[in-house]
Amino acid sequence: MKTVYKVLLSSLVLLSFSSIAAKDLHNKLIIQAIPSSEGTVVIEGQPKYEKTFNVVVYSVIDQPIELTGDVGCYKAFNEKGKEFDGRLVHAELLGILKDSPKAGEATFVSDDESVYNAKFVKWSSQC
């Protein structure tokens, strides 16, 4: 019984640490985003507006950082804080971020052309 209790307690501590780390992960990253294209796409018959950025992600800490859908996602946003969901993210921008930066493209979509005003890309735990 003590072993089960220890395993459960360890799991809860690890789980709470992981969610804390995921929430403040954006404070450990520098994300450079350069707009590369604007366009449209039709997804399941629904027209969408899209904007693509060339993205470079740097770590500001010495430990490896996990950039996966389990801990967050990339989001574009404009100067007023309106956020746009990602549609496509190059695999190079995901995985373990260590000593060298990761680079690739990320595309974001919206139901209206407001996505064209997006200027920034961030890592968010709110996906």
Side-chain angles (χ1 to χ4, degrees):
M1 186 68 174
K2 285 185 179 182
T3 304
V4 172
Y5 177 73
K6 287 179 182 178
V7 169
L8 285 174
L9 184 60
S10 298
S11 298
L12 288 173
V13 168
L14 181 60
L15 182 61
S16 64
F17 175 74
S18 296
S19 58
I20 290 170
K23 286 182 181 177
D24 72 340
L25 188 58
H26 65 279
N27 293 328
K28 298 172 181 159
L29 301 172
I30 296 172
I31 301 177
Q32 179 182 15
I34 301 169
S36 63
S37 69
E38 294 177 346
T40 60
V41 63
V42 177
I43 302 171
E44 297 178 358
Q46 298 298 312
K48 305 278 184 185
Y49 297 84
E50 67 179 9
K51 184 168 187 174
T52 302
F53 291 88
N54 289 317
V55 176
V56 181
V57 182
Y58 305 86
S59 173
V60 296
I61 63 172
D62 291 332
Q63 295 103 357
I65 296 175
E66 184 179 351
L67 299 173
T68 66
D70 294 336
V71 296
C73 61
Y74 290 100
K75 289 202 173 212
F77 64 103
N78 64 20
E79 291 172 332
K80 295 180 181 179
K82 183 174 180 180
E83 294 182 351
F84 304 96
D85 293 329
R87 185 175 89 80
L88 298 171
V89 175
H90 279 168
E92 292 85 10
L93 290 170
L94 301 172
I96 303 296
L97 177 62
K98 291 186 198 176
D99 303 327
S100 60
K102 290 182 164 285
E105 283 190 335
T107 300
F108 303 90
V109 294
S110 176
D111 291 332
D112 59 41
E113 60 189 31
S114 64
V115 72
Y116 296 156
N117 294 321
K119 294 186 177 13
F120 309 98
V121 174
K122 67 179 178 178
W123 183 262
S124 175
S125 61
Q126 305 298 313
C127 300

mmCIF file of all heavy atoms in Angstrom, residues 83-124:
data_model
loop_
_atom_site.group_PDB
_atom_site.id
_atom_site.type_symbol
_atom_site.label_atom_id
_atom_site.label_comp_id
_atom_site.label_asym_id
_atom_site.label_seq_id
_atom_site.Cartn_x
_atom_site.Cartn_y
_atom_site.Cartn_z
ATOM 1 N N GLU A 83 -5.904 36.680 -31.108
ATOM 2 C CA GLU A 83 -5.111 35.504 -31.440
ATOM 3 C C GLU A 83 -5.699 34.733 -32.614
ATOM 4 O O GLU A 83 -6.909 34.753 -32.840
ATOM 5 C CB GLU A 83 -5.032 34.577 -30.230
ATOM 6 C CG GLU A 83 -4.282 35.173 -29.073
ATOM 7 C CD GLU A 83 -4.164 34.214 -27.899
ATOM 8 O OE1 GLU A 83 -4.814 33.141 -27.907
ATOM 9 O OE2 GLU A 83 -3.422 34.543 -26.972
ATOM 10 N N PHE A 84 -4.808 34.039 -33.322
ATOM 11 C CA PHE A 84 -5.189 33.237 -34.477
ATOM 12 C C PHE A 84 -4.585 31.847 -34.332
ATOM 13 O O PHE A 84 -3.404 31.712 -33.997
ATOM 14 C CB PHE A 84 -4.720 33.910 -35.771
ATOM 15 C CG PHE A 84 -5.242 35.311 -35.897
ATOM 16 C CD1 PHE A 84 -4.458 36.384 -35.504
ATOM 17 C CD2 PHE A 84 -6.523 35.551 -36.365
ATOM 18 C CE1 PHE A 84 -4.942 37.683 -35.598
ATOM 19 C CE2 PHE A 84 -7.015 36.836 -36.458
ATOM 20 C CZ PHE A 84 -6.226 37.915 -36.073
ATOM 21 N N ASP A 85 -5.393 30.835 -34.593
ATOM 22 C CA ASP A 85 -4.967 29.455 -34.443
ATOM 23 C C ASP A 85 -4.081 29.014 -35.591
ATOM 24 O O ASP A 85 -4.250 29.451 -36.731
ATOM 25 C CB ASP A 85 -6.182 28.526 -34.382
ATOM 26 C CG ASP A 85 -6.997 28.737 -33.117
ATOM 27 O OD1 ASP A 85 -6.405 29.106 -32.085
ATOM 28 O OD2 ASP A 85 -8.224 28.516 -33.170
ATOM 29 N N GLY A 86 -3.177 28.106 -35.271
ATOM 30 C CA GLY A 86 -2.301 27.539 -36.281
ATOM 31 C C GLY A 86 -3.034 26.527 -37.143
ATOM 32 O O GLY A 86 -3.907 25.810 -36.668
ATOM 33 N N ARG A 87 -2.679 26.497 -38.415
ATOM 34 C CA ARG A 87 -3.205 25.483 -39.326
ATOM 35 C C ARG A 87 -2.126 24.482 -39.686
ATOM 36 O O ARG A 87 -2.336 23.290 -39.665
ATOM 37 C CB ARG A 87 -3.756 26.124 -40.605
ATOM 38 C CG ARG A 87 -4.429 25.126 -41.531
ATOM 39 C CD ARG A 87 -5.079 25.797 -42.718
ATOM 40 N NE ARG A 87 -4.186 25.939 -43.847
ATOM 41 C CZ ARG A 87 -3.901 24.971 -44.710
ATOM 42 N NH1 ARG A 87 -4.415 23.776 -44.571
ATOM 43 N NH2 ARG A 87 -3.082 25.195 -45.724
ATOM 44 N N LEU A 88 -0.943 24.987 -39.995
ATOM 45 C CA LEU A 88 0.210 24.143 -40.338
ATOM 46 C C LEU A 88 1.442 24.654 -39.600
ATOM 47 O O LEU A 88 1.675 25.862 -39.541
ATOM 48 C CB LEU A 88 0.488 24.193 -41.836
ATOM 49 C CG LEU A 88 -0.599 23.685 -42.774
ATOM 50 C CD1 LEU A 88 -0.245 24.019 -44.215
ATOM 51 C CD2 LEU A 88 -0.771 22.192 -42.612
ATOM 52 N N VAL A 89 2.228 23.729 -39.074
ATOM 53 C CA VAL A 89 3.506 24.078 -38.438
ATOM 54 C C VAL A 89 4.523 23.062 -38.917
ATOM 55 O O VAL A 89 4.301 21.855 -38.794
ATOM 56 C CB VAL A 89 3.402 24.043 -36.898
ATOM 57 C CG1 VAL A 89 4.756 24.275 -36.259
ATOM 58 C CG2 VAL A 89 2.400 25.058 -36.392
ATOM 59 N N HIS A 90 5.625 23.549 -39.481
ATOM 60 C CA HIS A 90 6.690 22.625 -39.893
ATOM 61 C C HIS A 90 7.184 21.831 -38.690
ATOM 62 O O HIS A 90 7.342 22.380 -37.596
ATOM 63 C CB HIS A 90 7.857 23.385 -40.499
ATOM 64 C CG HIS A 90 7.644 23.750 -41.927
ATOM 65 N ND1 HIS A 90 8.445 24.632 -42.586
ATOM 66 C CD2 HIS A 90 6.732 23.336 -42.849
ATOM 67 C CE1 HIS A 90 8.036 24.756 -43.831
ATOM 68 N NE2 HIS A 90 6.991 23.982 -44.002
ATOM 69 N N ALA A 91 7.455 20.578 -38.925
ATOM 70 C CA ALA A 91 7.919 19.688 -37.863
ATOM 71 C C ALA A 91 9.212 20.198 -37.222
ATOM 72 O O ALA A 91 9.469 19.926 -36.049
ATOM 73 C CB ALA A 91 8.126 18.279 -38.410
ATOM 74 N N GLU A 92 10.009 20.960 -37.975
ATOM 75 C CA GLU A 92 11.269 21.486 -37.437
ATOM 76 C C GLU A 92 11.047 22.415 -36.244
ATOM 77 O O GLU A 92 11.945 22.627 -35.445
ATOM 78 C CB GLU A 92 12.051 22.241 -38.522
ATOM 79 C CG GLU A 92 12.583 21.362 -39.630
ATOM 80 C CD GLU A 92 11.554 21.101 -40.741
ATOM 81 O OE1 GLU A 92 10.486 21.747 -40.757
ATOM 82 O OE2 GLU A 92 11.825 20.237 -41.581
ATOM 83 N N LEU A 93 9.843 23.001 -36.134
ATOM 84 C CA LEU A 93 9.546 23.919 -35.028
ATOM 85 C C LEU A 93 9.064 23.184 -33.777
ATOM 86 O O LEU A 93 8.788 23.819 -32.765
ATOM 87 C CB LEU A 93 8.486 24.941 -35.454
ATOM 88 C CG LEU A 93 8.947 25.961 -36.474
ATOM 89 C CD1 LEU A 93 7.768 26.764 -37.005
ATOM 90 C CD2 LEU A 93 9.998 26.876 -35.873
ATOM 91 N N LEU A 94 8.950 21.878 -33.856
ATOM 92 C CA LEU A 94 8.464 21.079 -32.733
ATOM 93 C C LEU A 94 9.565 20.156 -32.242
ATOM 94 O O LEU A 94 10.617 20.052 -32.859
ATOM 95 C CB LEU A 94 7.242 20.270 -33.167
ATOM 96 C CG LEU A 94 6.068 21.101 -33.670
ATOM 97 C CD1 LEU A 94 4.993 20.203 -34.254
ATOM 98 C CD2 LEU A 94 5.507 21.969 -32.558
ATOM 99 N N GLY A 95 9.328 19.497 -31.135
ATOM 100 C CA GLY A 95 10.318 18.576 -30.575
ATOM 101 C C GLY A 95 11.117 19.237 -29.467
ATOM 102 O O GLY A 95 10.666 20.180 -28.835
ATOM 103 N N ILE A 96 12.301 18.734 -29.249
ATOM 104 C CA ILE A 96 13.156 19.221 -28.160
ATOM 105 C C ILE A 96 14.017 20.385 -28.649
ATOM 106 O O ILE A 96 14.750 20.259 -29.616
ATOM 107 C CB ILE A 96 14.060 18.101 -27.613
ATOM 108 C CG1 ILE A 96 13.216 16.910 -27.144
ATOM 109 C CG2 ILE A 96 14.945 18.618 -26.484
ATOM 110 C CD1 ILE A 96 12.295 17.207 -25.990
ATOM 111 N N LEU A 97 13.904 21.514 -27.968
ATOM 112 C CA LEU A 97 14.718 22.703 -28.239
ATOM 113 C C LEU A 97 15.864 22.696 -27.241
ATOM 114 O O LEU A 97 15.642 22.731 -26.032
ATOM 115 C CB LEU A 97 13.868 23.961 -28.090
ATOM 116 C CG LEU A 97 14.554 25.310 -28.264
ATOM 117 C CD1 LEU A 97 15.113 25.449 -29.676
ATOM 118 C CD2 LEU A 97 13.566 26.430 -27.977
ATOM 119 N N LYS A 98 17.097 22.620 -27.751
ATOM 120 C CA LYS A 98 18.268 22.561 -26.870
ATOM 121 C C LYS A 98 19.170 23.762 -27.127
ATOM 122 O O LYS A 98 18.779 24.891 -26.923
ATOM 123 C CB LYS A 98 19.048 21.268 -27.089
ATOM 124 C CG LYS A 98 18.365 20.022 -26.647
ATOM 125 C CD LYS A 98 19.303 18.853 -26.800
ATOM 126 C CE LYS A 98 18.578 17.530 -26.787
ATOM 127 N NZ LYS A 98 19.451 16.417 -27.019
ATOM 128 N N ASP A 99 20.377 23.466 -27.609
ATOM 129 C CA ASP A 99 21.413 24.484 -27.774
ATOM 130 C C ASP A 99 21.210 25.384 -28.981
ATOM 131 O O ASP A 99 21.534 26.564 -28.938
ATOM 132 C CB ASP A 99 22.785 23.807 -27.887
ATOM 133 C CG ASP A 99 23.083 22.930 -26.691
ATOM 134 O OD1 ASP A 99 22.644 23.282 -25.585
ATOM 135 O OD2 ASP A 99 23.734 21.886 -26.868
ATOM 136 N N SER A 100 20.712 24.843 -30.061
ATOM 137 C CA SER A 100 20.575 25.639 -31.280
ATOM 138 C C SER A 100 19.099 25.946 -31.554
ATOM 139 O O SER A 100 18.212 25.204 -31.156
ATOM 140 C CB SER A 100 21.205 24.903 -32.467
ATOM 141 O OG SER A 100 20.566 23.666 -32.650
ATOM 142 N N PRO A 101 18.849 27.060 -32.239
ATOM 143 C CA PRO A 101 17.459 27.442 -32.523
ATOM 144 C C PRO A 101 16.794 26.489 -33.510
ATOM 145 O O PRO A 101 17.453 25.749 -34.231
ATOM 146 C CB PRO A 101 17.583 28.839 -33.119
ATOM 147 C CG PRO A 101 18.998 29.010 -33.499
ATOM 148 C CD PRO A 101 19.813 28.030 -32.734
ATOM 149 N N LYS A 102 15.467 26.522 -33.514
ATOM 150 C CA LYS A 102 14.664 25.777 -34.474
ATOM 151 C C LYS A 102 14.069 26.774 -35.456
ATOM 152 O O LYS A 102 13.692 27.877 -35.065
ATOM 153 C CB LYS A 102 13.537 25.027 -33.778
ATOM 154 C CG LYS A 102 14.017 23.865 -32.920
ATOM 155 C CD LYS A 102 12.827 23.147 -32.318
ATOM 156 C CE LYS A 102 13.204 21.794 -31.804
ATOM 157 N NZ LYS A 102 13.408 20.796 -32.837
ATOM 158 N N ALA A 103 13.963 26.391 -36.720
ATOM 159 C CA ALA A 103 13.426 27.299 -37.733
ATOM 160 C C ALA A 103 12.479 26.547 -38.662
ATOM 161 O O ALA A 103 12.671 25.365 -38.945
ATOM 162 C CB ALA A 103 14.560 27.922 -38.542
ATOM 163 N N GLY A 104 11.454 27.244 -39.120
ATOM 164 C CA GLY A 104 10.494 26.669 -40.048
ATOM 165 C C GLY A 104 9.354 27.632 -40.285
ATOM 166 O O GLY A 104 9.390 28.780 -39.837
ATOM 167 N N GLU A 105 8.336 27.156 -40.982
ATOM 168 C CA GLU A 105 7.178 27.992 -41.266
ATOM 169 C C GLU A 105 5.989 27.580 -40.412
ATOM 170 O O GLU A 105 5.830 26.405 -40.077
ATOM 171 C CB GLU A 105 6.768 27.884 -42.743
ATOM 172 C CG GLU A 105 7.652 28.651 -43.672
ATOM 173 C CD GLU A 105 7.064 28.709 -45.080
ATOM 174 O OE1 GLU A 105 6.282 27.825 -45.458
ATOM 175 O OE2 GLU A 105 7.414 29.661 -45.788
ATOM 176 N N ALA A 106 5.169 28.572 -40.083
ATOM 177 C CA ALA A 106 3.918 28.332 -39.374
ATOM 178 C C ALA A 106 2.834 29.161 -40.060
ATOM 179 O O ALA A 106 3.052 30.330 -40.385
ATOM 180 C CB ALA A 106 4.041 28.729 -37.906
ATOM 181 N N THR A 107 1.677 28.536 -40.302
ATOM 182 C CA THR A 107 0.562 29.184 -40.975
ATOM 183 C C THR A 107 -0.621 29.260 -40.022
ATOM 184 O O THR A 107 -0.942 28.287 -39.331
ATOM 185 C CB THR A 107 0.164 28.398 -42.243
ATOM 186 O OG1 THR A 107 1.283 28.346 -43.115
ATOM 187 C CG2 THR A 107 -0.994 29.054 -42.959
ATOM 188 N N PHE A 108 -1.271 30.416 -40.004
ATOM 189 C CA PHE A 108 -2.386 30.678 -39.103
ATOM 190 C C PHE A 108 -3.614 31.072 -39.905
ATOM 191 O O PHE A 108 -3.487 31.682 -40.973
ATOM 192 C CB PHE A 108 -1.999 31.786 -38.119
ATOM 193 C CG PHE A 108 -0.761 31.433 -37.345
ATOM 194 C CD1 PHE A 108 0.492 31.786 -37.821
ATOM 195 C CD2 PHE A 108 -0.844 30.701 -36.183
ATOM 196 C CE1 PHE A 108 1.641 31.429 -37.141
ATOM 197 C CE2 PHE A 108 0.304 30.333 -35.490
ATOM 198 C CZ PHE A 108 1.557 30.705 -35.970
ATOM 199 N N VAL A 109 -4.800 30.739 -39.400
ATOM 200 C CA VAL A 109 -6.033 30.976 -40.149
ATOM 201 C C VAL A 109 -7.055 31.755 -39.325
ATOM 202 O O VAL A 109 -6.993 31.800 -38.103
ATOM 203 C CB VAL A 109 -6.681 29.658 -40.622
ATOM 204 C CG1 VAL A 109 -5.811 28.955 -41.623
ATOM 205 C CG2 VAL A 109 -7.029 28.756 -39.464
ATOM 206 N N SER A 110 -8.003 32.334 -40.081
ATOM 207 C CA SER A 110 -9.110 33.076 -39.477
ATOM 208 C C SER A 110 -10.300 33.013 -40.422
ATOM 209 O O SER A 110 -10.138 32.801 -41.629
ATOM 210 C CB SER A 110 -8.689 34.532 -39.264
ATOM 211 O OG SER A 110 -9.764 35.301 -38.771
ATOM 212 N N ASP A 111 -11.496 33.227 -39.878
ATOM 213 C CA ASP A 111 -12.707 33.285 -40.694
ATOM 214 C C ASP A 111 -12.809 34.591 -41.468
ATOM 215 O O ASP A 111 -13.602 34.700 -42.397
ATOM 216 C CB ASP A 111 -13.954 33.115 -39.828
ATOM 217 C CG ASP A 111 -14.062 31.703 -39.262
ATOM 218 O OD1 ASP A 111 -13.558 30.757 -39.902
ATOM 219 O OD2 ASP A 111 -14.661 31.554 -38.179
ATOM 220 N N ASP A 112 -12.025 35.587 -41.051
ATOM 221 C CA ASP A 112 -12.030 36.868 -41.763
ATOM 222 C C ASP A 112 -10.596 37.316 -42.013
ATOM 223 O O ASP A 112 -9.646 36.693 -41.563
ATOM 224 C CB ASP A 112 -12.835 37.931 -40.999
ATOM 225 C CG ASP A 112 -12.286 38.181 -39.605
ATOM 226 O OD1 ASP A 112 -11.050 38.240 -39.438
ATOM 227 O OD2 ASP A 112 -13.097 38.325 -38.672
ATOM 228 N N GLU A 113 -10.447 38.404 -42.721
ATOM 229 C CA GLU A 113 -9.101 38.843 -43.119
ATOM 230 C C GLU A 113 -8.302 39.494 -41.992
ATOM 231 O O GLU A 113 -7.172 39.929 -42.209
ATOM 232 C CB GLU A 113 -9.195 39.784 -44.324
ATOM 233 C CG GLU A 113 -9.992 41.032 -44.073
ATOM 234 C CD GLU A 113 -10.258 41.828 -45.337
ATOM 235 O OE1 GLU A 113 -10.374 41.234 -46.414
ATOM 236 O OE2 GLU A 113 -10.337 43.054 -45.215
ATOM 237 N N SER A 114 -8.824 39.492 -40.768
ATOM 238 C CA SER A 114 -8.086 40.087 -39.645
ATOM 239 C C SER A 114 -6.763 39.372 -39.385
ATOM 240 O O SER A 114 -5.846 39.963 -38.812
ATOM 241 C CB SER A 114 -8.946 40.108 -38.381
ATOM 242 O OG SER A 114 -9.252 38.787 -37.965
ATOM 243 N N VAL A 115 -6.623 38.117 -39.805
ATOM 244 C CA VAL A 115 -5.359 37.404 -39.630
ATOM 245 C C VAL A 115 -4.233 38.112 -40.383
ATOM 246 O O VAL A 115 -3.065 38.001 -39.999
ATOM 247 C CB VAL A 115 -5.482 35.922 -40.058
ATOM 248 C CG1 VAL A 115 -5.580 35.783 -41.570
ATOM 249 C CG2 VAL A 115 -4.332 35.096 -39.511
ATOM 250 N N TYR A 116 -4.573 38.864 -41.424
ATOM 251 C CA TYR A 116 -3.544 39.590 -42.174
ATOM 252 C C TYR A 116 -2.874 40.665 -41.316
ATOM 253 O O TYR A 116 -1.774 41.116 -41.634
ATOM 254 C CB TYR A 116 -4.125 40.226 -43.434
ATOM 255 C CG TYR A 116 -4.643 39.240 -44.464
ATOM 256 C CD1 TYR A 116 -5.596 39.630 -45.383
ATOM 257 C CD2 TYR A 116 -4.179 37.933 -44.527
ATOM 258 C CE1 TYR A 116 -6.077 38.746 -46.339
ATOM 259 C CE2 TYR A 116 -4.652 37.037 -45.471
ATOM 260 C CZ TYR A 116 -5.601 37.454 -46.377
ATOM 261 O OH TYR A 116 -6.068 36.570 -47.316
ATOM 262 N N ASN A 117 -3.520 41.074 -40.213
ATOM 263 C CA ASN A 117 -2.929 42.069 -39.307
ATOM 264 C C ASN A 117 -2.048 41.443 -38.227
ATOM 265 O O ASN A 117 -1.465 42.162 -37.416
ATOM 266 C CB ASN A 117 -4.028 42.905 -38.652
ATOM 267 C CG ASN A 117 -4.766 43.755 -39.662
ATOM 268 O OD1 ASN A 117 -4.169 44.293 -40.578
ATOM 269 N ND2 ASN A 117 -6.072 43.861 -39.505
ATOM 270 N N ALA A 118 -1.974 40.120 -38.189
ATOM 271 C CA ALA A 118 -1.116 39.453 -37.202
ATOM 272 C C ALA A 118 0.334 39.830 -37.477
ATOM 273 O O ALA A 118 0.780 39.829 -38.621
ATOM 274 C CB ALA A 118 -1.306 37.950 -37.268
ATOM 275 N N LYS A 119 1.048 40.168 -36.409
ATOM 276 C CA LYS A 119 2.444 40.575 -36.543
ATOM 277 C C LYS A 119 3.387 39.743 -35.679
ATOM 278 O O LYS A 119 4.591 39.792 -35.852
ATOM 279 C CB LYS A 119 2.592 42.042 -36.160
ATOM 280 C CG LYS A 119 1.892 42.993 -37.104
ATOM 281 C CD LYS A 119 2.204 44.415 -36.726
ATOM 282 C CE LYS A 119 1.679 45.493 -37.568
ATOM 283 N NZ LYS A 119 0.735 45.403 -38.544
ATOM 284 N N PHE A 120 2.835 39.006 -34.737
ATOM 285 C CA PHE A 120 3.645 38.305 -33.743
ATOM 286 C C PHE A 120 3.250 36.831 -33.681
ATOM 287 O O PHE A 120 2.120 36.466 -33.983
ATOM 288 C CB PHE A 120 3.443 38.921 -32.360
ATOM 289 C CG PHE A 120 3.623 40.408 -32.329
ATOM 290 C CD1 PHE A 120 2.528 41.259 -32.384
ATOM 291 C CD2 PHE A 120 4.888 40.967 -32.252
ATOM 292 C CE1 PHE A 120 2.687 42.638 -32.356
ATOM 293 C CE2 PHE A 120 5.056 42.340 -32.222
ATOM 294 C CZ PHE A 120 3.955 43.174 -32.273
ATOM 295 N N VAL A 121 4.196 36.003 -33.231
ATOM 296 C CA VAL A 121 3.930 34.591 -32.981
ATOM 297 C C VAL A 121 4.418 34.286 -31.574
ATOM 298 O O VAL A 121 5.487 34.745 -31.160
ATOM 299 C CB VAL A 121 4.640 33.686 -34.014
ATOM 300 C CG1 VAL A 121 4.476 32.208 -33.650
ATOM 301 C CG2 VAL A 121 4.099 33.947 -35.409
ATOM 302 N N LYS A 122 3.621 33.507 -30.836
ATOM 303 C CA LYS A 122 4.001 33.128 -29.463
ATOM 304 C C LYS A 122 3.723 31.648 -29.256
ATOM 305 O O LYS A 122 3.035 31.009 -30.060
ATOM 306 C CB LYS A 122 3.213 33.947 -28.446
ATOM 307 C CG LYS A 122 1.724 33.653 -28.415
ATOM 308 C CD LYS A 122 1.031 34.496 -27.362
ATOM 309 C CE LYS A 122 -0.474 34.256 -27.345
ATOM 310 N NZ LYS A 122 -1.117 35.041 -26.291
ATOM 311 N N TRP A 123 4.260 31.114 -28.172
ATOM 312 C CA TRP A 123 3.951 29.769 -27.730
ATOM 313 C C TRP A 123 2.902 29.906 -26.635
ATOM 314 O O TRP A 123 3.060 30.717 -25.719
ATOM 315 C CB TRP A 123 5.201 29.079 -27.184
ATOM 316 C CG TRP A 123 4.929 27.669 -26.776
ATOM 317 C CD1 TRP A 123 4.674 27.210 -25.517
ATOM 318 C CD2 TRP A 123 4.870 26.527 -27.633
ATOM 319 N NE1 TRP A 123 4.463 25.864 -25.546
ATOM 320 C CE2 TRP A 123 4.574 25.416 -26.826
ATOM 321 C CE3 TRP A 123 5.031 26.341 -29.005
ATOM 322 C CZ2 TRP A 123 4.455 24.137 -27.342
ATOM 323 C CZ3 TRP A 123 4.907 25.067 -29.511
ATOM 324 C CH2 TRP A 123 4.625 23.979 -28.684
ATOM 325 N N SER A 124 1.828 29.152 -26.725
ATOM 326 C CA SER A 124 0.726 29.281 -25.783
ATOM 327 C C SER A 124 0.343 27.917 -25.213
ATOM 328 O O SER A 124 0.369 26.917 -25.923
ATOM 329 C CB SER A 124 -0.488 29.901 -26.488
ATOM 330 O OG SER A 124 -1.609 29.931 -25.624
#
